[in-house]
Amino acid sequence: MKIAFVGKGGSGKTTLSSLFIRHLAGTGSPVIAVDADINQHLGAALGLDEGAAGELPALGARLPLIKDYLRGSNARIASADTMIKTTPPGEGSRLLRVRENNPVYDACARDVELDGHAVRLMVTGPFTEADLGVACYHSKTGAVELCLNHLVDGRGEYVVVDMTAGSDSFASGMFTRFDMTFLVAEPTRKGVSVYRQYKEYARDFGIDLKVVGNKVRDADDLEFLRSEVGEDLLVTVGHSDWVRAMEKGRPPRFELLEAPNKASLQALQDAADATYEVRDWERYTRQMVHFHLKNAQSWGNEKTGADLAAQVDPSFVLRESVAATA
């Protein structure tokens, strides 16, 4: 399942996504973790020290390799240089699978050990001095979107993306790439305002959105969230001594996480797993094409000097059954 964590800055979405990643790893499930936030903190939340986190290879710096690999023998794509973040796969494209080894993972992913279980971690990379004043952060997250467009994941496989804060996720079509989106909200007016924005923007795209209430201290906090987000409130998370220890760089074994918080993480997994039965690969592919055509007309054709609409393969539908033949 492809799962996004979103929320306003400081809501705790990186902490919650890291806890969820640890939970999934503890079940023995294959997990790819992706840090797509402008503030790159997921590696540290998963236990890497500052030096190791800083040495993670940046997806945004390896776009030529990613494009060349994913292009494969797709005759509709004249060259890797004409691929943009929304380019959809077609006949001849190479697809990514969660469990495999491939040149993209070799170059861009690193294994992180979590209490005896390993997850693959990929990061967009931070702004560099060369980016300042001339590039927006979506030039970095475009690598993530391109990979998600070419990813075929199955039951019991997980890709967890820590997204950029606030409603910036809607600056591209990446918000439609997920089976489940967990919005982390504090019991404050600012906390729920991002929820309202997300709910409104996502309304016409069939986004499965659930709210995770964070930093909930008492019944009044709980009632506030229930009154503001209604049935979209899935679970709440309160104070955690385990998280405090993790934030100090001294996390105990994950099995010692408080029982109520363990139960909340299991509820997140159950909610994500439930979406598997209602997956709509045709809609998923249709939305991919929709955003590609929009980007092509808006800026892509001019930038690449090509008619990017011609990259769309009208007979191709991304689905699990094409993984073995693509």
Side-chain angles (χ1 to χ4, degrees):
M1 314 303 296
K2 294 179 285 288
I3 300 159
F5 279 80
V6 300
K8 79 173 185 65
S11 64
K13 66 179 182 62
T14 297
T15 297
L16 264 296
S17 61
S18 72
L19 291 177
F20 187 59
I21 290 164
R22 289 174 184 270
H23 165 78
L24 294 175
T27 68
S29 302
V31 182
I32 296 176
V34 183
D35 192 344
D37 193 357
I38 190 171
N39 297 307
Q40 300 270 283
H41 296 314
L42 184 58
L46 292 175
L48 296 183
D49 61 33
E50 186 175 338
E55 292 174 356
L56 291 169
L59 281 161
R62 289 160 176 77
L63 262 174
L65 179 151
I66 295 170
K67 290 178 178 179
D68 187 63
Y69 179 77
L70 296 179
R71 177 189 173 218
S73 60
N74 187 336
R76 293 178 178 272
I77 302 174
S79 69
D81 291 337
T82 65
M83 294 178 73
I84 62 175
K85 63 183 182 180
T86 54
T87 296
E91 183 178 354
S93 295
R94 291 192 182 100
L95 304 180
L96 302 174
R97 296 107 176 147
V98 173
R99 299 174 188 264
E100 71 178 0
N101 294 315
N102 58 54
V104 173
Y105 294 159
D106 290 343
C108 305
R110 295 294 180 266
D111 285 348
V112 176
E113 191 272 332
L114 300 172
D115 288 344
H117 303 278
V119 302
R120 277 177 170 154
L121 175 61
M122 305 172 76
V123 303
T124 56
F127 268 123
T128 65
E129 287 189 14
D131 297 322
L132 296 178
V134 297
C136 71
Y137 195 65
H138 305 292
S139 64
K140 307 285 187 184
T141 58
V144 180
E145 186 170 355
L146 190 60
C147 287
L148 290 175
N149 280 352
H150 290 74
L151 177 71
V152 179
D153 53 317
R155 185 191 295 274
E157 300 175 336
Y158 299 92
V159 178
V160 181
V161 182
D162 181 21
M163 297 279 279
T164 191
S167 55
D168 282 356
S169 302
F170 291 95
S172 74
M174 193 159 72
F175 72 97
T176 65
R177 303 296 85 199
F178 302 100
D179 299 288
M180 173 62 72
T181 297
F182 291 126
L183 189 146
V184 181
E186 300 168 87
T188 64
R189 287 195 299 173
K190 287 184 178 180
V192 299
S193 67
V194 173
Y195 159 76
R196 293 197 185 98
Q197 282 183 308
Y198 220 102
K199 185 79 169 178
E200 177 65 22
Y201 293 157
R203 181 182 56 191
D204 297 329
F205 293 94
I207 305 301
D208 206 334
L209 178 68
K210 294 297 181 184
V211 174
V212 182
N214 194 27
K215 305 176 185 177
V216 175
R217 296 183 300 179
D218 52 33
D220 186 65
D221 284 350
L222 178 58
E223 178 55 33
F224 175 82
L225 285 173
R226 283 176 173 166
S227 65
E228 295 294 328
V229 308
E231 62 183 15
D232 284 338
L233 180 63
L234 179 63
V235 294
T236 62
V237 178
H239 173 78
S240 171
D241 290 332
W242 194 97
V243 169
R244 288 298 298 273
M246 177 195 75
E247 291 173 341
K248 294 175 182 177
R250 300 193 297 268
R253 290 190 63 81
F254 189 66
E255 63 189 25
L256 299 177
L257 181 72
E258 299 85 359
N261 291 329
K262 283 184 180 179
S264 292
L265 295 174
Q266 184 60 54
L268 298 186
Q269 182 182 1
D270 292 344
D273 287 348
T275 65
Y276 182 85
E277 302 299 339
V278 294
R279 274 184 157 187
D280 187 341
W281 285 103
E282 291 187 357
R283 183 183 69 184
Y284 188 81
T285 305
R286 190 166 58 248
Q287 289 175 340
M288 189 190 311
V289 169
H290 167 76
F291 283 105
H292 179 63
L293 295 178
K294 286 188 66 175
N295 280 268
Q297 184 176 17
S298 176
W299 60 271
N301 289 345
E302 182 178 356
K303 180 177 181 179
T304 63
D307 177 13
L308 300 186
Q311 293 180 344
V312 176
D313 184 341
S315 64
F316 184 88
V317 176
L318 186 69
R319 62 175 82 239
E320 288 179 61
S321 60
V322 303
T325 58

